[in-house]
């Protein structure tokens, strides 16, 4: 098994799918879009985990309720970032995925963040129109490593079976 296949197999299905699509894409412009889309899916996925754990632990402070009210109506990549940034601190040491809060704080949020992270890349790509192949490759050379580090850092999910169900079972 290759290192790439090994990484893909460690991630929950929705994340392994985006990792697979990104890692196997050959066209630079499309690969850049896979990177951005994949990063947004990762942050949405992780936000849902954090919010479900907050609900389980009844930690919805007024601050978190306000952040949700202000950002969920039109949830952009940047707004998902704001939601998760505000939501994870109460779960330090209490999250059912114990690695997640520290990983968010130390690695994932800085890689995604507004200060040189993938959100900046998203804004540059989406507001620039069609990028040339040369520019796409240049951006991939920088942000591809960031995205691959992001994927590697969430490989701890291999230690968990994530199952969703309705309360009406």
């Amino acid at each position: 098994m290759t290192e790439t296949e090994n990484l893909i197999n460690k991630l929950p299905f929705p994340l392994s799918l985006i990792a697979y699509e990104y890692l196997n894409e050959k066209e630079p412009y499309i690969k850049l879009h896979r990177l951005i889309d994949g990063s947004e899916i990762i942050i949405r996925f992780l936000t849902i985990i954090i919010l479900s754990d907050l609900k389980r632990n009844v930690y919805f402070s007024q601050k978190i309720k306000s952040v949700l009210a202000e950002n969920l109506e039109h949830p952009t990549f940047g707004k998902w970032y704001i939601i998760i940034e505000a939501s994870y601190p109460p779960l330090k040491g209490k999250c059912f995925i114990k690695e997640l809060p520290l990983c968010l704080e130390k690695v994932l949020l800085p890689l995604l963040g507004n200060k040189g992270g993938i959100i900046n890349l998203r804004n540059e790509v989406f507001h620039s129109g069609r990028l040339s192949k040369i520019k796409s490759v240049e951006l991939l050379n920088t942000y591809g490593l960031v995205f691959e580090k992001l994927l590697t850092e969430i490989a701890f999910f291999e230690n968990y079976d994530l199952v969703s169900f309705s309360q009406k079972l």
Side-chain angles (χ1 to χ4, degrees), residues 42-119:
I42 289 169
I43 203 164
R44 286 177 180 215
F45 184 85
L46 298 179
T47 302
I48 290 165
I49 290 172
I50 292 291
L51 292 175
S52 70
D53 209 17
L54 283 172
K55 183 178 185 290
R56 180 179 66 91
N57 287 297
V58 195
Y59 286 136
F60 275 95
S61 67
Q62 189 55 47
K63 177 186 174 192
I64 293 170
K65 290 177 185 177
S66 295
V67 168
L68 289 170
E70 292 168 13
N71 293 287
L72 272 181
E73 188 173 350
H74 300 289
T76 63
F77 192 170
K79 289 184 178 186
W80 282 106
Y81 181 90
I82 291 167
I83 293 167
I84 200 168
E85 186 178 42
S87 301
Y88 84 90
L91 290 174
K92 288 182 185 176
K94 300 172 188 166
C95 190
F96 73 94
I97 297 180
K98 64 183 179 186
E99 301 90 343
L100 188 53
L102 187 60
C103 186
L104 281 165
E105 182 177 352
K106 300 289 185 193
V107 181
L108 302 181
L109 293 177
L111 291 177
L112 292 167
N114 292 317
K115 298 179 179 108
I118 294 176
I119 292 174

Side-chain angles (χ1 to χ4, degrees), residues 11 25 34 37 39 60-61 79 85 94 118 120 154-155:
L11 300 172
E25 181 57 58
R34 298 258 190 254
D37 294 343
S39 297
F60 275 95
S61 67
K79 289 184 178 186
E85 186 178 42
K94 300 172 188 166
I118 294 176
N120 279 351
I154 60 174

Side-chain angles (χ1 to χ4, degrees), residues 22 27-29 31-33 35 121 135-146 148:
Y22 167 79
E27 173 57 41
Y29 182 74
K31 187 170 187 139
L32 198 55
H33 279 269
L35 181 157
L121 170 67
K135 182 66 174 175
S136 296
V137 168
E138 176 187 312
L139 291 171
L140 277 171
N141 286 338
T142 300
Y143 289 97
L145 297 173
V146 172
E148 289 170 29

